[in-house]
Amino acid sequence: MTEPSGLRHGPVVPQLESLLRELLREKRWKAGERLPSEVRLAEELGVGRSSVREAIRLLARDGLVDVRHGSGTFVTDLSPVTEEEPDVRRLLRRARLLEAYEVRRALEVEAARLAAQRIRPEDVERLRARLRDRQERSCGEPSAFVDADLEFHRAIVELSGNDVLVGLFTLVRPVLREALIEMVAHETALPDVSCAHADVLEALARGDAEAAIAATVDNLESTMAFIRAEAADR
């Protein structure tokens, strides 16, 4: 096993994913061979097991390994391990993420309008707790941060009192989660939308539907503009 000397201070998962990709390029494990267990990889690389699991998930998403529950993780055909093909897949994922955001914008704007009309004082306190959780996780593991972020937004959609909107958010959430985790883990220039989240909460607390809509649009459009710009640069 290659020594983990290449791991530097900073987000662990992206570095760990890159290291494992490099080991696959070097044919450290052959096609069809089982990788060491998460526990063993974590011990040998000096990282947490959850970081190993997240890096493996990213490799599995790109078809480089096959995670067989109860059996282990196996190397698939190594031919996809090139510099070009992951870029193509990344572009496709960005296109899918942008489409998901377009749907998300439509439903969350209406959810914010309805939630502002129906929110109660006890709902505001629950939202504040979810927003604090999101902020506290902003510098932690990408998956934990994304989950906290989506929980905040789901709570607002639920406050709309519209089961159809809740159902739509539930459908689009898995697509958003996967793509957002990758984006948070790898992008260094993501827009900071913390203020927009706080603005949404304060508008809802005041029962100001127009302000809640404006803050929701500001939050989502900032990220959508980033996704569009990144796609245009490639």
Side-chain angles (χ1 to χ4, degrees):
M1 170 66 69
T2 300
E3 291 298 322
S5 56
L7 296 182
R8 303 176 300 276
H9 292 295
V12 173
V13 173
Q15 297 182 63
L16 187 56
E17 180 196 0
S18 296
L19 174 58
L20 291 174
R21 283 180 181 274
E22 185 60 31
L23 292 174
L24 289 172
R25 290 191 185 97
E26 294 173 354
K27 298 186 178 180
R28 172 64 179 79
W29 303 285
K30 299 177 181 178
E33 185 177 351
R34 186 171 65 181
L35 268 64
S37 67
E38 290 178 0
V39 173
R40 182 177 170 188
L41 283 172
E43 291 176 350
E44 293 184 354
L45 296 172
V47 297
R49 184 176 176 182
S50 62
S51 297
V52 172
R53 184 181 302 113
E54 186 64 26
I56 292 294
R57 188 193 66 80
L58 294 173
L59 296 178
R61 176 205 60 200
D62 285 345
L64 304 183
V65 297
D66 179 21
V67 179
R68 305 173 192 171
H69 296 291
S71 300
T73 300
F74 296 80
V75 179
T76 56
D77 184 0
L78 296 185
S79 59
V81 188
T82 65
E83 295 299 329
E84 294 81 7
E85 290 184 15
D87 286 340
V88 174
R89 286 192 291 270
R90 191 174 298 112
L91 286 173
L92 291 174
R93 285 194 298 273
R94 285 189 185 282
R96 192 181 185 201
L97 176 60
L98 184 57
E99 290 178 352
Y101 254 83
E102 290 170 349
V103 173
R104 183 182 181 185
R105 184 185 189 279
L107 71 89
E108 287 198 35
V109 164
E110 180 62 13
R113 183 183 72 80
L114 292 173
Q117 298 171 0
R118 299 170 178 174
I119 196 167
R120 302 166 300 176
E122 57 266 34
D123 298 325
V124 174
E125 292 310 308
R126 283 195 291 268
L127 274 184
R128 289 194 192 282
R130 292 193 183 278
L131 185 57
R132 284 195 299 270
D133 187 42
R134 177 192 183 276
Q135 303 302 78
E136 289 170 359
R137 295 177 184 273
S138 61
C139 296
E141 285 293 326
S143 59
F145 170 67
V146 170
D147 285 340
D149 177 68
L150 291 176
E151 278 301 308
F152 173 76
H153 290 283
R154 179 180 176 82
I156 294 174
V157 176
E158 289 177 341
L159 288 175
S160 73
N162 187 304
D163 289 340
V164 174
L165 290 178
V166 174
L168 288 172
F169 187 87
T170 300
L171 285 174
V172 78
R173 179 172 176 160
V175 177
L176 287 170
R177 183 180 187 276
E178 180 178 355
L180 286 172
I181 288 173
E182 180 195 7
M183 193 163 64
V184 171
H186 292 85
E187 301 291 352
T188 58
L190 283 173
D192 184 355
V193 292
S194 298
C195 290
H197 280 75
D199 290 344
V200 171
L201 175 56
E202 294 310 317
L204 291 174
R206 298 193 307 271
D208 188 336
E210 292 303 315
I213 289 171
T216 300
V217 171
D218 182 37
N219 170 35
L220 298 178
E221 281 290 346
S222 296
T223 303
M224 291 172 72
F226 174 83
I227 297 169
R228 293 190 192 101
E230 286 289 295
D233 288 341
R234 292 184 182 277

